[in-house]
Amino acid sequence: MPKNTDTPPASASPEAQRLGRPLSGWRLKAYTIIFEADTRAGRAFDLGLIALVLFSVLVVMLESVAAIDARFGELFNVVEYLLTAIFTLEYLLRLACVRHPWRYARSFYGVVDLLAVLPTYLALLVPELYALVDVRVLRLLRVFRVLKLSAYVAEYAMLAQALRASARKIQVFISVVLMVVVIMGTVMYVVEGPANGFTSIPASIYWAITTMTTVGFGDITPKTDLGRAIASCMMLLGWGVLAVPTGIVTAEMTAARRDRPATTRSCHACLSEGHLPEARFCRDCGAALPPYQRE
């Protein structure tokens, strides 16, 4: 059995060390199921939560359809209260099974978990809000539950890492694009003028942005031959502009996947962590390890 020390083992994940992985008892079992997805129970828990999150968001969407809500409104209310109770219990269990609950409560996923249940309680506890604003504004905040999905898919973490690594490059790219649209918007204001709908430089910059991004609402269009030639160049330039951020993020995701450390596993028998992918037996209790799942 793992030694009962005051600190998590060095092989524990950064999240386990930050939140404080329990050392023994029911809290350790609950932590293994709720926070660790490499066990059979942990995978089942995550899949069940994903299904509940998607179902709850579907209920919110159906409630926004007047004909469906008029027919099944009472059923939707019962389902919503039941789902809120389940998500509340999950949130309380997460706080109870870590040794530093305040750290989890202040984390991104802790805030998301709170937002997943808070709107329903606000609508119950503050009925006066019905007279001030449409109550559906509060109830629609339940779509924050969809953010809970990112806690159960490793690719979300990889995407976030790639976006952080790409932040400076994308900022430089956006600054160049802004300079281009400001210059081209000003040029189009001079070329077309208020008579052709380019009433001001900000309005012309708006046209340049919609043209550069290939959106083209059509509310402002050039009328002169020179203006149409400039617009054609900007449309062609927009194709290349759209591809640049995608290439930057894709390159960073490839680098993150290449540099990602090997996934470690947990023993189902003694719950010790840090076993390498090639390990077949637990180094602490000798039990057979589950097969390594390659990404």
Side-chain angles (χ1 to χ4, degrees), residues 32-96:
T32 305
I33 294 174
I34 294 175
F35 285 96
E36 297 178 358
D38 57 348
T39 63
R40 187 178 297 107
R43 284 194 296 270
F45 179 82
D46 288 352
L47 291 175
L49 272 180
I50 290 173
L52 287 176
V53 168
L54 294 176
F55 179 66
S56 67
V57 174
L58 176 62
V59 170
V60 175
M61 294 180 179
L62 292 177
E63 277 187 316
S64 67
V65 182
I68 298 178
D69 186 56
R71 184 174 181 181
F72 301 102
E74 293 297 328
L75 176 61
F76 287 155
N77 287 335
V78 173
V79 171
E80 171 55 26
Y81 294 142
L82 179 61
L83 289 172
T84 299
I86 294 174
F87 287 128
T88 302
L89 178 61
E90 178 225 352
Y91 179 66
L92 295 177
L93 279 175
R94 287 181 182 274
L95 294 177

Side-chain angles (χ1 to χ4, degrees), residues 267 270 272 275 280-289:
C267 175
C270 68
S272 63
H275 302 90
R280 298 176 57 189
F281 300 96
C282 176
R283 64 171 181 270
D284 296 312
C285 69
L289 295 173

Side-chain angles (χ1 to χ4, degrees), residues 247-268:
I248 293 174
V249 176
T250 301
E252 293 296 342
M253 290 187 67
T254 302
R257 182 177 292 274
R258 183 178 61 249
D259 300 336
R260 192 175 186 180
T263 303
T264 59
R265 292 175 291 166
S266 299
C267 175
H268 291 189

Side-chain angles (χ1 to χ4, degrees), residues 109-120:
Y109 292 119
V111 174
V112 169
D113 288 341
L114 182 61
L115 288 176
V117 299
L118 192 59
T120 302

Side-chain angles (χ1 to χ4, degrees), residues 25 31 36 42 52 93 127 133 157 160 173 213 221 241 251 271:
Y31 180 94
E36 297 178 358
L52 287 176
L93 279 175
V133 296
F173 167 75
T213 56
T221 56
V241 166
L271 304 180

